[in-house]
Amino acid sequence: MTGELPTITLKAIGVIRNEIKQPPKRVPFGWEKVISDIVVDSGLTEALDGLGEFSHIIVLYWMHQAAAGELPMKVHPMGKQELPLVGLFATRSPHRPNPVGKATVRLLLRQGNVLKVQGLDAIDGTPVIDIKPYIPEYDSAANAKVPPWITNL
Amino acid sequence: MTGELPTITLKAIGVIRNEIKQPPKRVPFGWEKVISDIVVDSGLTEALDGLGEFSHIIVLYWMHQAAAGELPMKVHPMGKQELPLVGLFATRSPHRPNPVGKATVRLLLRQGNVLKVQGLDAIDGTPVIDIKPYIPEYDSAANAKVPPWITNL
């Protein structure tokens, strides 16, 4: 089946700017408080009109510093040895076949081609792939169940 | 700034299989009831271990049938002329600079390299970019606000 799987080419639409210049060694890091500017390609400014009416947005970004090369199929979540070894798709590890991150963040301000957001867990210089409005009816799930190890993060 | 924005190359990790062979003309379509199989590259089967402990997963997929070429910066959501004209990033339109879709869906069953899910709004043959566990504390936002037109969809 592998032969059928296509290669996909994207062009970043913007870049994340914040004070976090290197991947943090501390886990969990406390991204909730980090304020970031998403600087969107100025040619796309008009495409942001109306986004300011949403309190939250979804950001898809390219985790450009995720290690390339051979990927382990299983990992300890967040590198914590005391947590069970699980498949990488059961985790949010940046080390995945396509290191695309997805975050739901609070939109503080939209000013021209810049979006100021809070809680985006990405370092300075991270390329942005897409921005979407967060729509609770579509993006959240009621009564979602997670395994016990999640509560030990 | 455009010059700085990188090009990103992805390789699909799987493909969506369901009974919806063409983009539906009816809007809204009723994707909530559609059952799909996500057939993952068999070389990545082990990376799905543990995912079955989550009730919901996030699927990132490539909307391969989205029209290429010149994009309008503003659109009427879901093509409804009675809704306001808003920037494309304020909508979930598949016609966007990088047509990557993001869905939160119920995971019904994981069997080897196949995930059976409900409510995935993608047609048969859609390439899959990534699969992540849905973690309410991270992926949902309390008290999210949306503009009035959302409630008229």
Side-chain angles (χ1 to χ4, degrees), chain A residues 6 8 10-12 47 49 55 74 87 89 92 96 98 100 102 121 129-134 138-139 145, chain B residues 6 8 10-12 47 49 55 74 87 89 92 96 98 100 102 121 129-133 138-139 141 145:
Chain A
I8 294 160
L10 309 177
K11 175 85 162 63
D49 288 357
S55 64
K74 295 193 175 189
F89 289 128
R92 300 296 279 254
R96 44 208 313 122
N98 293 314
V100 176
K102 175 256 155 200
D121 56 347
I129 292 171
D130 198 12
I131 294 164
K132 300 178 190 291
Y134 174 77
Y138 182 72
D139 294 304
K145 287 180 192 159
Chain B
I8 294 160
L10 310 176
K11 175 85 161 65
D49 287 357
S55 64
K74 294 192 175 190
F89 289 128
R92 300 297 279 253
R96 45 206 315 121
N98 294 313
V100 176
K102 175 257 155 198
D121 56 348
I129 292 171
D130 198 12
I131 293 163
K132 299 178 191 291
Y138 182 72
D139 294 305
K145 287 180 189 158

Side-chain angles (χ1 to χ4, degrees), chain A residues 20-73:
Chain A
I20 316 300
K21 307 298 177 190
Q22 296 293 331
K25 291 193 171 59
R26 184 157 44 91
V27 172
F29 173 64
W31 287 104
E32 311 83 54
K33 293 188 179 170
V34 174
I35 306 290
S36 300
D37 281 343
I38 302 175
V39 183
V40 175
D41 181 343
S42 56
L44 296 168
T45 302
E46 204 188 347
L48 297 170
D49 288 357
L51 195 61
E53 291 193 70
F54 292 84
S55 64
H56 293 76
I57 62 174
I58 292 169
V59 182
L60 301 183
Y61 52 98
W62 180 245
M63 298 182 283
H64 62 308
Q65 292 211 349
E70 189 85 13
L71 280 174
M73 288 291 109

